[in-house]
Amino acid sequence: MLEGKKILLGVCGSIASYKSAILTRLLVKAGADVKVIMTQDATHFVTPLTFSTLSKNPVFSTYFKADSGEWNNHVELALWADFMLIAPITANTIAKLANGHCDNLLSAVYLSAKCPVFFAPAMDLDMWLHPAVQRNVSLLESYKNKQIKPAYGELASGLVGEGRMAEPEEILAYLQQALGTDLPLKGKRVLITAGPTYESIDPVRFIGNHSSGKMGFAIAEEFARRGAQVTLISGPSSQVLRAPSIRRIDVSSAEEMYHSVHQEFPENDIMIMNAAVADYRPKQVAPEKIKKSPSEFVIELVKTKDILSSLGEMKRDDQILVGFALETNNEEEHAIAKLNKKNLDFIVLNSLKDEGAGFQGDTNKITIIDRHLRKETFPLKSKEEVAKDICSKIADYL
């Protein structure tokens, strides 16, 4: 949910500012682009170099760059951000922002911001409970700013009570939940398959294909970014999921994938069948490794269960089923035949004739055809961008 988000992180002068360094790292790791604005007091607790290194962006603390006299434009910074987070925010800064005072870069950016603003207070117990502070917090909330409430625990003064800044992991989770409420696919359950299947010949060898799983994993990540509850069933793949919300089920063979998909299918709204499932498997699996022989070696194959056809037969009217067609000749004709035969709502076609498309690579070129035979062809893109096109097409359909 934070992938690609532009975040302004304001840091005030508090012992809790060391947590902001950890928070910066977590935000960047989640895919966000982070720019840090520090008050002068904050620079006494953590150096700007720390935040610059972690965020991979310059750190802002004054209106002018001392060496060049160049202006740090507070209006441009405010317009750049998707949202602003001030963590920690002190009693002093809360008072300034609540009452419209503007005597540093952070307050100037805040007063210029049109984006959502979140703030995480940090101060001692008695200070936090003071009526003036509570009044100012209420004022900030009345401006539609969102408070990430302080936690209960041991404070820098030695007192125990409310006032500790929320932990970085808690702030990250709060942001993901808050941003998720407005996501277009919030509440939708999506089942995605990815990768190849391996059909064993003996304990050592198998029949498989060149699918890496990259496309299916990218689709899973994109649906999760848009708020969907995603389950990914993957054949053997070295791909790693970044979104912690995605539930992953690992399988190996076509039979295992068949059973996992059928177990999950009834509870889902959208099914994206991207896996390259083997059409055939060995009729017999040797219990021991087959030794090399000078004569010819023949493996008798039998058909695997057609997962996509079986889902098309049991699909409800309120479910969306999407299949993939990787073709080498008469591509569109074969894709449409598959769309109709298997009762799909969409089919995503790509051709091995298109340079940069297909297995293993980081790019793909697709055509999406719906059940009414309306089609849209996209240029060669990264698989992440292709995933966005597929997700957008389904979201528009919904």
Side-chain angles (χ1 to χ4, degrees):
M1 296 176 188
L2 295 172
E3 180 77 27
K5 294 291 185 183
K6 298 174 182 176
I7 303 173
L8 281 177
L9 174 61
V11 181
C12 301
S14 164
I15 188 62
S17 58
Y18 79 90
K19 293 183 180 180
S20 301
I22 302 169
L23 178 58
T24 300
R25 182 178 179 275
L26 292 176
L27 292 170
V28 171
K29 192 175 179 181
D33 187 5
V34 180
K35 292 184 179 180
V36 178
I37 304 171
M38 303 179 72
T39 65
Q40 283 298 307
D41 283 346
T43 63
H44 297 303
F45 289 91
V46 182
T47 67
L49 178 60
T50 298
F51 286 108
S52 177
T53 302
L54 292 171
S55 69
K56 300 178 178 61
N57 278 316
V59 172
F60 306 92
S61 59
T62 60
Y63 288 109
F64 296 93
K65 297 177 183 177
D67 53 349
S68 65
E70 185 180 349
W71 180 31
N72 288 323
N73 191 326
H74 60 283
V75 176
E76 286 185 3
L77 282 169
L79 290 173
W80 172 83
D82 291 315
F83 67 88
M84 187 174 185
L85 166 65
I86 308 175
I89 187 169
T90 58
N92 185 46
T93 298
I94 288 173
K96 288 180 183 179
L97 305 189
N99 294 282
H101 294 181
C102 183
D103 64 351
N104 60 22
L105 183 62
L106 179 59
S107 57
V109 172
Y110 168 80
L111 291 173
S112 303
K114 297 179 180 178
C115 61
V117 178
F118 301 86
F119 64 100
M123 63 195 74
D124 203 65
L125 170 64
D126 295 326
M127 185 181 293
W128 171 246
L129 293 177
H130 196 283
V133 173
Q134 291 301 309
R135 181 202 63 192
N136 289 334
V137 168
S138 296
L139 275 174
L140 281 184
E141 291 182 319
S142 73
Y143 307 152
K144 307 302 182 185
N145 302 154
K146 302 294 184 183
Q147 180 195 171
I148 304 174
K149 293 185 177 181
Y152 182 95
E154 186 177 351
L155 305 169
S157 66
L159 296 175
V160 176
E162 199 172 60
R164 290 169 59 100
M165 186 179 98
E167 295 302 315
E169 294 80 5
E170 294 170 344
I171 293 174
L172 184 74
Y174 181 96
L175 293 174
Q176 289 174 325
Q177 183 176 8
L179 295 171
T181 57
D182 295 326
L183 292 174
L185 294 175
K186 182 73 173 179
K188 293 296 181 183
R189 296 172 63 94
V190 182
L191 178 65
I192 299 167
T193 63
T197 63
Y198 288 174
E199 311 304 323
S200 294
I201 298 171
D202 61 23
V204 177
R205 304 176 183 91
F206 61 84
I207 296 172
N209 57 61
H210 296 297
S211 174
S212 64
K214 289 179 181 178
M215 190 70 255
F217 276 66
I219 295 169
E221 297 277 6
E222 184 60 28
F223 269 99
R225 272 193 289 274
R226 300 194 187 200
Q229 185 176 338
V230 178
T231 298
L232 175 69
I233 301 176
S234 176
S237 173
S238 62
Q239 300 302 304
V240 176
L241 289 168
R242 290 174 293 177
S245 63
I246 298 174
R247 174 171 165 247
R248 177 173 175 174
I249 300 171
D250 289 307
V251 299
S252 182
S253 67
E255 185 72 11
E256 290 174 357
M257 185 165 285
Y258 178 92
H259 287 295
S260 291
V261 167
H262 276 259
Q263 185 173 349
E264 301 293 330
F265 179 80
E267 305 301 321
N268 283 273
D269 305 298
I270 303 165
M271 281 62 62
I272 314 289
M273 300 295 105
N274 174 252
V277 181
D279 294 319
Y280 295 88
R281 61 173 177 82
K283 185 175 183 179
Q284 299 292 334
V285 179
E288 305 291 341
K289 179 183 176 183
I290 299 171
K291 298 300 182 182
K292 187 185 294 185
S293 169
S295 61
E296 291 183 354
F297 177 60
V298 177
I299 301 174
E300 186 177 358
L301 302 177
V302 293
K303 272 192 171 184
T304 58
K305 295 174 182 175
D306 191 324
I307 300 175
L308 197 55
S309 287
S310 66
L311 297 183
E313 291 172 1
M314 61 188 294
K315 179 174 77 75
R316 303 188 306 266
D317 290 341
D318 63 340
Q319 291 178 306
I320 295 174
L321 182 60
V322 181
F324 278 68
L326 176 61
E327 304 292 345
T328 58
N329 66 298
N330 299 326
E331 292 93 336
E332 193 171 312
E333 178 185 340
H334 288 152
I336 291 173
K338 186 175 182 179
L339 172 75
N340 292 326
K341 181 180 179 182
K342 302 194 178 186
N343 190 28
L344 308 181
D345 296 286
F346 294 94
I347 192 157
V348 181
L349 166 65
N350 57 345
S351 171
L352 283 179
K353 290 181 180 178
D354 291 326
E355 187 176 350
F359 291 146
Q360 298 292 334
D362 295 323
T363 57
N364 207 352
K365 182 180 179 182
I366 65 166
T367 296
I368 301 178
I369 306 172
D370 70 16
R371 65 184 308 116
H372 304 292
L373 303 186
R374 294 175 297 215
K375 67 176 184 176
E376 184 172 359
T377 299
F378 300 85
L380 185 71
K381 299 182 179 183
S382 71
K383 286 185 174 176
E384 288 75 15
E385 292 298 318
V386 171
K388 291 179 182 178
D389 290 333
I390 293 169
C391 194
S392 294
K393 179 67 72 172
I394 294 169
D396 289 344
Y397 181 81
L398 289 171

